[in-house]
């Protein structure tokens, strides 16, 4: 199975006490770059989330968004710092005596001083929250994986079609090659004969040496066909082959460049340009395969 590095998945888990929503989205990246945005109270689960996702994600820039909603009737408590309140009262009473004024201090006034009254989260059942989170995460990861596999299959189908088109271009070049060699050899022989005149140098050997280096592309076409077959085999085999396909595409481009540079025929040049165009398209698509 071929997987794309782009994908999206969403999952949700609801209980009497909370609702957890997880969204996962990813784009292509050279390595596995996992980024998470989650509520502060769920930070203790970050390591578990990373470990779970890395079991199925090898490459890609992955963003994970987690939302937690407390559905319990009471999610905060009011905490009273009694000792601090007494100190404020004692201090205010003493200040009134010192200044000779009334120190009619009320509890409401003391409660407005810093840290006498504060809000604190109700203690949560961490295991219960973790269970809900992992349910939502598992659902999101499943949808995420399905979307990547679907996109990966589309990429595979398109690349395989392009590879078949490339084989046709290579076949044309190989079929046209003998005629090019014959025409180019005749031109060289005539040119060498004209330059050497009546000397005893074997102009045929000189011409052969020149044209063999100048227009011979049989080695390049053989290697290019091998790369095409190799990429096809890797696509059909499946798995995490993105990096290998990228390397093969680079080698294919190298051979196509050489063929184009040696082309002394307009038809061969056109087919070599078509080869390079298809290879560039394949390279772009391969960049998105895990």
């Amino acid at each position: 199975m071929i997987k794309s590095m782009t994908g999206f998945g969403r999952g949700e888990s609801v209980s009497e006490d909370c609702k957890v929503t997880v969204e996962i989205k990813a784009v292509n990246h050279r390595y596995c770059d996992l980024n998470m945005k989650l509520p502060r109270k769920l930070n203790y689960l970050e390591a578990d989330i990373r470990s779970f996702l890395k079991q199925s994600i090898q490459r890609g820039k992955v963003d994970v968004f987690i939302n937690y909603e407390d559905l319990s009737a009471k999610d905060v408590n009011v905490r009273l710092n009694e000792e601090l309140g007494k100190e404020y009262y004692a201090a205010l009473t003493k200040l009134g005596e010192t200044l000779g004024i009334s120190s009619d201090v009320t509890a409401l006034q003391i409660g407005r001083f810093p840290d006498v009254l504060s809000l604190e989260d109700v203690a949560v059942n961490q295991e219960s929250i973790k269970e809900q989170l992992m349910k939502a995460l598992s659902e999101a990861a499943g949808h995420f994986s399905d979307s990547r596999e679907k996109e990966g299959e589309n990429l595979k189908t398109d690349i395989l079609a392009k590879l078949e088109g490339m084989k046709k271009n290579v076949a044309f070049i190989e079929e046209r090659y003998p005629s090019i060699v014959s025409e180019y050899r005749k031109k060289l022989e005539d040119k060498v004969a004209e330059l050497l005149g009546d000397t005893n140098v074997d102009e045929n050997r000189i011409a052969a040496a020149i044209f063999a280096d100048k227009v011979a592309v049989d080695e390049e076409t053989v290697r290019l066909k091998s790369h095409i077959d190799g990429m096809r085999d890797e696509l059909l085999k499946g798995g995490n082959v993105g990096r290998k396909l990228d390397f093969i595409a680079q080698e294919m481009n190298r051979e196509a460049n050489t063929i184009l540079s040696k082309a002394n025929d307009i038809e061969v040049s056109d087919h070599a340009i078509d080869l390079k165009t298809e290879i560039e398209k394949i390279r772009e698509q391969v960049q998105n395969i895990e």
Side-chain angles (χ1 to χ4, degrees):
M1 182 68 70
I2 294 293
K3 288 185 179 181
S4 167
M5 279 189 282
T6 60
F8 176 81
R10 186 179 189 277
E12 183 178 285
S13 178
V14 183
S15 69
E16 293 182 356
D17 297 325
C18 67
K19 174 181 176 181
V20 180
T21 305
V22 178
E23 291 186 352
I24 307 172
K25 68 177 183 178
V27 295
N28 61 313
H29 194 272
R30 188 174 182 182
Y31 305 107
C32 181
D33 181 15
L34 188 58
N35 304 286
M36 283 187 286
K37 293 183 179 180
L38 68 167
R40 182 174 55 85
K41 65 167 55 181
L42 300 185
N43 281 342
Y44 69 98
L45 293 172
E46 181 173 346
D48 293 314
I49 298 170
R50 287 184 180 277
S51 177
F52 178 83
L53 292 176
K54 285 188 175 181
Q55 293 176 15
S56 58
I57 301 174
Q58 305 299 320
R59 295 174 66 199
K61 185 179 186 302
V62 184
D63 292 313
V64 183
F65 302 92
I66 299 175
N67 183 61
Y68 173 84
E69 184 179 350
D70 196 318
L71 302 179
S72 61
K74 185 178 181 182
D75 57 357
V76 293
N77 284 330
V78 178
R79 186 178 67 86
L80 169 63
N81 190 333
E82 186 175 343
E83 294 301 319
L84 181 60
K86 290 179 179 180
E87 291 183 13
Y88 277 126
Y89 178 78
L92 291 171
T93 300
K94 185 176 181 180
L95 179 62
E97 293 174 353
T98 301
L99 298 177
I101 60 176
S102 172
S103 58
D104 187 14
V105 182
T106 66
L108 179 59
Q109 291 173 325
I110 294 177
R112 291 173 177 173
F113 285 107
D115 300 325
V116 175
L117 297 176
S118 60
L119 298 178
E120 62 180 11
D121 292 335
V122 174
V124 296
N125 186 330
Q126 292 188 345
E127 286 302 317
S128 176
I129 292 178
K130 180 178 178 180
E131 181 181 353
Q132 297 303 316
L133 171 63
M134 296 310 292
K135 284 182 180 179
L137 183 63
S138 180
E139 181 183 349
H143 294 316
F144 175 70
S145 180
D146 290 343
S147 69
R148 297 177 87 202
E149 289 177 1
K150 182 178 179 180
E151 178 64 19
E153 286 301 301
N154 291 336
L155 287 172
K156 182 178 77 172
T157 300
D158 189 62
I159 293 174
L160 288 174
K162 285 181 169 56
L163 292 176
E164 288 301 313
M166 288 176 60
K167 290 178 73 172
K168 293 179 181 179
N169 281 316
V170 174
F172 175 86
I173 294 173
E174 289 182 322
E175 182 180 355
R176 175 69 177 141
Y177 173 71
S179 299
I180 298 174
V181 170
S182 177
E183 294 168 6
Y184 190 70
R185 182 188 182 103
K186 181 66 170 62
K187 290 180 181 179
L188 285 178
E189 288 175 349
D190 293 342
K191 191 66 175 178
V192 170
E194 178 185 344
L195 293 174
L196 295 178
D198 296 329
T199 62
N200 294 323
V201 179
D202 187 348
E203 64 270 18
N204 289 334
R205 293 181 62 186
I206 295 176
I210 295 174
F211 95 83
D213 181 64
K214 181 66 177 177
V215 301
V217 295
D218 51 331
E219 292 184 5
E220 287 78 8
T221 56
V222 168
R223 286 195 293 265
L224 184 52
K225 287 192 298 183
S226 176
H227 293 323
I228 292 172
D229 291 338
M231 180 171 285
R232 179 179 179 277
D233 291 342
E234 291 297 328
L235 284 167
L236 295 177
K237 182 173 66 176
N240 301 321
V241 296
R243 287 192 178 95
K244 190 168 186 178
L245 294 180
D246 186 33
F247 173 76
I248 295 175
Q250 293 179 42
E251 294 303 307
M252 290 165 60
N253 190 57
R254 191 193 313 276
E255 303 302 339
N257 280 333
T258 304
I259 292 173
L260 182 59
S261 69
K262 289 184 175 183
N264 283 275
D265 179 82
I266 187 63
E267 291 184 280
V268 171
S269 294
D270 288 343
H271 282 76
I273 290 172
D274 288 343
L275 279 173
K276 282 184 57 63
T277 301
E278 292 301 296
I279 292 171
E280 284 302 317
K281 292 178 181 178
I282 289 175
R283 290 183 70 180
E284 290 178 2
Q285 292 173 318
V286 163
Q287 295 295 322
N288 203 33
I289 294 178
E290 186 177 48

